[in-house]
Amino acid sequence: MSQELKVELEGVSKEAIGGVIDQEELESVGAPPARVGFWVFIAGEVIILLSLIASSIYFRLTYPHWHETSTFTNVVISTINTFILLTGSLMAVLAHHFAFADAWKKARRFLLLTMLCGLAFVGMKTYEYSLEIHHGFYPNTDPFWMFYYTITGIHGLHVFAGACILFGVWLYVRKTKSKYAVENAALYWHFVDLVWLYIFPMFYLT
Amino acid sequence: MQAEHQDHLSVAFYVKIYVLLLILTGASVASSFLLRDVVSASVVVGLILVLSTVKALLIALFYMHLRYEKIPVRVWAYSAIVIFIILFILVLPDGIVNLKR
């Protein structure tokens, strides 16, 4: 390998490792890779969660006691949780808005508020589970409770992961001021909110 | 999100969407209780699912900014829904057979 080519390749690899690719420059020619990559991730997650929801719909159609069992779920707590998630979505979109406006103090404040919404949701959900278990409803009680615990449990884990991600991004942007990190954290939050919009009526309202 | 759309997506706009989401959630909860004895269960389920879809669209289009995204992002976002619909249709005959038993 010639010396010139070697130097050139070393330069390229250093650039790649150093993450010199400017996301803003790429914004002018197309969507930045960080955003496209995150949407690929969200697409995968959507398929997993919607497939679970679809399989529960089949059980709902074939299991005759689904409706009467669903009346034992707690509508008040779940409505409060819906309010918390929607409020979190507003906080997340405001964090994104202020990050892109370079108002980092406000952006970080709203990131923290979104994270608190996530923790409040997980706290309420844990309390709700404790009430249901206290009343003798376990995952092996019947198909309704099996799907209920599986789907709401997976969703709850996603909300908790979202809260951890938001905290991580809150720390990360203090120095880096990376608006794409804020954007992706907000996108993740909206995704968990969006899934809940279908879980809520499925197990609590119908 | 494309830069030219940054300006008109103000804080007030996001708050309006939030209020609309809360109203739609209230409508979902109210209809599940008030319409239960008035119309059939399938009508109530259908109505609530429509309301949920409207809420999901509001979040996807305005909070996730899909309305203002470029083609590569939109393709990925909609591909998940398309793949899900294909999966759903593939197992649909099995569900129908189970229903008829």
Side-chain angles (χ1 to χ4, degrees):
Chain A
M1 193 185 291
S2 72
Q3 190 63 27
E4 281 176 9
L5 184 61
K6 201 176 172 187
V7 169
E8 199 176 313
L9 284 174
E10 274 177 3
V12 170
S13 66
K14 270 179 193 165
E15 241 185 43
I17 293 164
V20 189
I21 298 166
D22 188 351
Q23 299 278 337
E24 280 182 58
E25 260 180 45
L26 289 159
E27 178 90 56
S28 61
V29 290
R35 188 184 297 157
V36 179
F38 206 79
W39 272 102
V40 174
F41 167 71
I42 288 180
E45 289 272 61
V46 165
I47 291 167
I48 293 167
L49 281 158
L50 286 185
S51 301
L52 271 171
I53 291 174
S55 53
S56 75
I57 291 171
Y58 283 129
F59 264 86
R60 183 202 172 94
L61 292 172
T62 52
Y63 180 60
H65 306 295
W66 187 284
H67 178 68
E68 55 196 78
T69 316
S70 71
T71 56
F72 291 105
T73 52
N74 197 319
V75 181
V76 176
I77 293 179
S78 61
T79 306
I80 293 169
N81 264 345
T82 308
F83 171 74
I84 290 170
L85 278 188
L86 289 175
T87 307
S89 256
L90 176 68
M91 300 296 123
V93 81
L94 290 180
H96 173 268
H97 177 79
F98 286 117
F100 274 75
D102 275 327
W104 283 100
K105 204 173 175 182
K106 283 182 182 175
R108 289 187 74 231
R109 193 180 302 152
F110 281 113
L111 273 179
L112 207 59
L113 286 170
T114 316
M115 188 201 76
L116 289 177
C117 285
L119 293 179
F121 179 92
V122 173
M124 291 291 283
K125 195 75 213 156
T126 310
Y127 173 64
E128 191 186 347
Y129 280 156
S130 72
L131 288 179
E132 280 147 2
I133 288 167
H134 179 73
H135 287 107
F137 301 122
Y138 299 101
N140 60 354
T141 304
D142 72 359
F144 173 84
W145 291 104
M146 179 188 76
F147 274 109
Y148 170 81
Y149 281 109
T150 306
I151 294 176
T152 58
I154 289 173
H155 178 264
L157 283 175
H158 276 80
V159 175
F160 184 68
C164 294
I165 290 166
L166 284 160
F167 182 66
V169 169
W170 179 76
L171 290 174
Y172 179 68
V173 298
R174 191 166 50 180
K175 282 182 184 171
T176 60
K177 306 268 189 281
S178 165
K179 54 191 178 189
Y180 290 98
V182 176
E183 179 180 272
N184 288 341
L187 275 178
Y188 187 80
W189 183 268
H190 297 314
F191 152 71
V192 292
D193 189 10
L194 217 141
V195 173
W196 178 258
L197 291 179
Y198 286 95
I199 294 174
F200 173 54
M202 219 176 69
F203 290 113
Y204 298 92
L205 300 183
T206 57
Chain B
M1 183 174 49
Q2 292 174 41
E4 64 266 28
H5 298 293
Q6 293 270 3
D7 297 334
H8 70 258
L9 291 174
S10 60
V11 173
F13 176 79
Y14 290 129
V15 173
K16 276 180 198 164
I17 297 284
Y18 172 68
V19 172
L20 200 55
L21 287 167
L22 290 185
I23 290 169
L24 289 170
T25 303
S28 300
V29 177
S31 59
S32 79
F33 288 103
L34 300 176
L35 297 179
R36 194 174 282 171
D37 301 324
V38 182
V39 291
S40 68
S42 53
V43 173
V44 179
V45 172
L47 178 69
I48 291 172
L49 281 179
V50 167
L51 288 171
S52 295
T53 305
V54 172
K55 284 190 281 180
L57 279 173
L58 283 173
I59 289 180
L61 292 175
F62 299 110
Y63 279 9
M64 297 173 100
H65 303 112
L66 262 187
R67 189 177 149 80
Y68 313 105
E69 281 297 354
K70 288 173 182 167
I71 303 253
V73 173
R74 284 194 200 180
V75 167
W76 277 108
Y78 298 131
S79 69
I81 308 297
V82 172
I83 293 168
F84 167 70
I85 291 168
I86 292 168
L87 285 172
F88 199 79
I89 290 169
L90 280 176
V91 289
L92 195 63
D94 190 40
I96 292 168
V97 168
N98 274 333
L99 257 181
K100 286 180 179 170
R101 271 182 197 163

